[in-house]
Amino acid sequence: MEDGKTIIKINTLSRMNSQFNSPEITVSAYLLIRLKEIGLDHLFGVPGDFVLGFLNQVLKSEIKFIGTCNELNAAYAADGYARIKGIGAFASTYGVGELSAINGVAGAFAERVPVVVITGSPATINFSTHSLLHHTLGDYQIPLNMYEKITVASTQLVSGEIAPAEIDRVLSACLSHQQPVYISIPSDVAMMKCKRPTAFTFPTHPRSDQDALREAIKEAVNMLNKAKTPIVIGDVELLRFKLQKDFADFLDKTGLPYATMMLGKTLLSEQHPQFIGLYEGDRSRDYVRNRVESADCILQLGTLLTDFNTGGFTTKMDDSKTISGNIGYVKIKHHYYENVHLHDFIQGLTEQLTQRDITTLDIQCAGNSCVHRHTEPFLPDASKPLTIKRFFDRMSHFVKNNSIVIAETGVSLFSAAEMLMPKGTTFIGQTFYGSIGYTVGATLGAAMAAKDRQVILFVGDGSFQVTCQDLSTLIRNHLKPIIFLINNDGYTIERVITDHSYNDIQPWHYHKLVDVFGGGLGIDVHTEGELEEALVKSAKADSLVFIEIHTDRMDCPESLRSAGRSMAKTNKLE
Ligand SMILES: Cc1ncc(C[n+]2csc(CCOP(=O)(O)OP(=O)(O)O)c2C)c(N)n1
Ligand SMILES: [Mg+2]
């Protein structure tokens, strides 16, 4: 340890390093070596003249460039990749490219996903002459200024001397905050020489204020020990800050039951015997809602109380019974302990709490009460038109252990959230920021990050129309996700708020797109029997599979209707 930081030597430091035997390498090579060290194997992006120098160096490196059809999808792909691998990145050109990606980066900022934005900008001289080059906006600082709002650190590299320290500073911030960062490399700086990197210093967890930590743990342990029906709610910060193991150890030691919120879905395997299901206020299943709301002590760990997480702010968790541990602070009842970090807090609780008698804790495992139960047999009625309920019932039998399930905002997200995921399955949804079209890019990223895992995407027709081009990138890279497109003739999630003609879209023959884009198996499904046939064919296919599911326009889960009612109210549409 040195200054509270752990030095981790990485032996991959690196083919690129040895490619050039001089004591110096280029700024581009320095950045690429660092990205490789922190776990990046693929870089998404779209070329443009200002970034070509950097991309030429990418081609010589150990990092593979994956071209996408547009920069927004590159950002979504980097986000999906980062959710699996712990880091994601994309490269784009100045102005037109990077600004196309901005919505994808904003989503990563909101949901705490570590994405590195690399933009190739005009040569440094142009920043002082303000020459009216293509893609510029007159003021050369505008893109950087815009990105400053949605990143935790940003830099404009100006020379080979300062580039290494700047790159290290920005990448450290990305990892310690688990949020996006922005690196702008002028085209001349990309090829400037700089020093070789020494081993990267990975940021470690910040140190808690020890007195505050001790006091917070003491108070929390007291409350939990006295409680007869305590409940734990684990959520997104545990995922993002990789505290799953600490959380699992805490559950093993105490035997306490836990729920997750939507953003924290599949935080641990949903087959965990202490997992009771999703808690989302009034949108929860009865048992889960009652179990949480009648608990005499609620321990929230890493929760983010967004509208979708809280069922439209309908959660009822009395502050006077609640302990809440978050990144950087603990709140107990109505007071705060500052500078108490989540990992220290969980570890302290684990040390001091003892095993409870689980027979007294009213633990009904989630499989008994979830909406789409894999515990009940599914018997298809061949001629019956498919409904959303039946489709997701079927899917709860179809998804295999260790899959990655991705669900788009809309009927897909609200339904898939109510499936109990099999062991080892990771669930991805942009449940807070909710930018439609996200999942097509995220599927590309996740499939690239985990080639050995089955990736399943549920996406609505409206969302798919936003970003569908990168279906072709999945095909181009021989990736083989199974995509279920829910064709319900438009924006059902908006129809349940208020239904007018602006929710209609042009109907496409979606399943035929695989042919247009160059390969894969496309199947059209209207009935339960056709779905069974499609699933049999998909099992035999050695390619991407695209199954278009037709359902009624207004067919959706009750949780989505409830969300619609609450959005109508919030937006004064009633
Ligand atoms: C980029 C973006 N534009 C607009 C919206 C508003 N919006 C939310 S959901 C939605 C429609 C989604 O339609 P679809 O994918 O067909 O969902 P489903 O019919 O399954 O509910 C729209 C337009 C958004 N969330 N993101
Ligand atoms: Mg739709």
Side-chain angles (χ1 to χ4, degrees), residues 411 460-463 486-493 505:
V411 171
D461 47 358
S463 302
I486 298 179
N487 182 346
N488 50 15
D489 196 21
Y491 301 155
T492 300
I493 181 173
I505 59 176

Side-chain angles (χ1 to χ4, degrees), residues 158-283:
V158 293
S159 71
E161 282 78 54
I162 62 114
E166 275 299 281
I167 289 170
D168 288 1
R169 173 183 71 80
V170 165
L171 294 183
S172 291
C174 181
L175 296 178
S176 53
H177 293 270
Q178 294 290 304
Q179 277 177 305
V181 293
Y182 174 85
I183 301 176
S184 171
I185 315 181
S187 53
D188 54 334
V189 178
M191 297 309 291
M192 281 179 186
K193 296 282 184 226
C194 71
K195 66 170 194 185
R196 285 175 168 280
T198 52
F200 184 58
T201 307
F202 281 80
T204 52
H205 291 304
R207 212 175 129 74
S208 298
D209 173 329
Q210 295 301 302
D211 293 331
L213 174 67
R214 212 172 304 116
E215 221 171 288
I217 291 170
K218 190 173 169 200
E219 187 176 0
V221 165
N222 231 333
M223 277 173 75
L224 285 161
N225 277 341
K226 277 193 199 138
K228 298 222 161 5
T229 54
I231 187 79
V232 184
I233 300 175
D235 195 37
V236 60
E237 288 182 352
L238 297 176
L239 266 178
R240 296 292 186 267
F241 289 88
K242 302 180 184 61
L243 299 175
Q244 293 102 319
K245 166 101 179 48
D246 302 70
F247 186 52
D249 290 347
F250 167 84
L251 295 170
D252 280 354
K253 173 84 183 289
T254 60
L256 293 176
Y258 78 99
T260 61
M261 297 185 132
M262 234 199 215
L263 272 166
K265 187 170 171 65
T266 66
L267 164 62
L268 297 179
S269 169
E270 294 200 332
Q271 305 296 323
H272 194 294
Q274 288 149 255
F275 178 55
I276 65 162
L278 274 197
Y279 177 58
E280 39 183 349
D282 288 354
R283 290 176 207 156

Side-chain angles (χ1 to χ4, degrees), residues 335-493:
H335 52 278
Y336 287 84
Y337 294 92
E338 297 292 344
N339 294 323
V340 174
H341 294 288
L342 193 49
H343 61 283
D344 286 334
F345 185 59
I346 298 173
Q347 282 173 12
L349 294 179
T350 307
E351 272 163 32
Q352 297 199 19
L353 288 166
T354 50
Q355 182 79 33
R356 303 284 295 233
D357 174 0
I358 54 166
T359 59
T360 65
L361 288 172
D362 179 19
I363 306 178
Q364 290 179 25
C365 75
N368 295 339
S369 63
C370 65
V371 174
H372 306 292
R373 291 181 206 177
H374 73 298
T375 44
E376 280 169 16
F378 182 88
L379 303 170
D381 185 342
S383 59
K384 231 180 168 180
L386 263 177
T387 63
I388 289 296
K389 168 81 170 79
R390 290 284 288 171
F391 172 64
F392 281 95
D393 281 350
R394 179 65 183 93
M395 289 298 101
S396 72
H397 293 260
F398 178 72
V399 177
K400 294 189 180 58
N401 286 354
N402 301 318
S403 301
I404 298 173
V405 174
I406 304 178
E408 181 68 72
T409 302
V411 171
S412 299
L413 177 70
F414 281 80
S415 303
E418 287 290 359
M419 285 164 66
L420 188 77
M421 295 298 166
K423 203 164 171 222
T425 294
T426 306
F427 180 77
I428 295 179
Q430 210 189 42
T431 307
F432 175 26
Y433 191 63
S435 181
I436 60 166
Y438 161 77
T439 58
V440 178
T443 298
L444 169 63
M448 194 60 81
K451 290 194 177 158
D452 54 339
R453 294 174 71 182
Q454 176 68 73
V455 178
I456 296 176
L457 167 63
F458 299 110
V459 60
D461 47 358
S463 302
F464 184 73
Q465 288 198 0
V466 182
T467 50
C468 61
Q469 303 95 312
D470 277 282
L471 180 60
S472 77
T473 311
L474 284 156
I475 295 169
R476 180 181 178 195
N477 288 284
H478 313 290
L479 297 169
K480 297 167 191 166
I482 304 181
I483 298 175
F484 293 97
L485 179 130
I486 298 179
N487 182 346
N488 50 15
D489 196 21
Y491 301 155
T492 300
I493 181 173

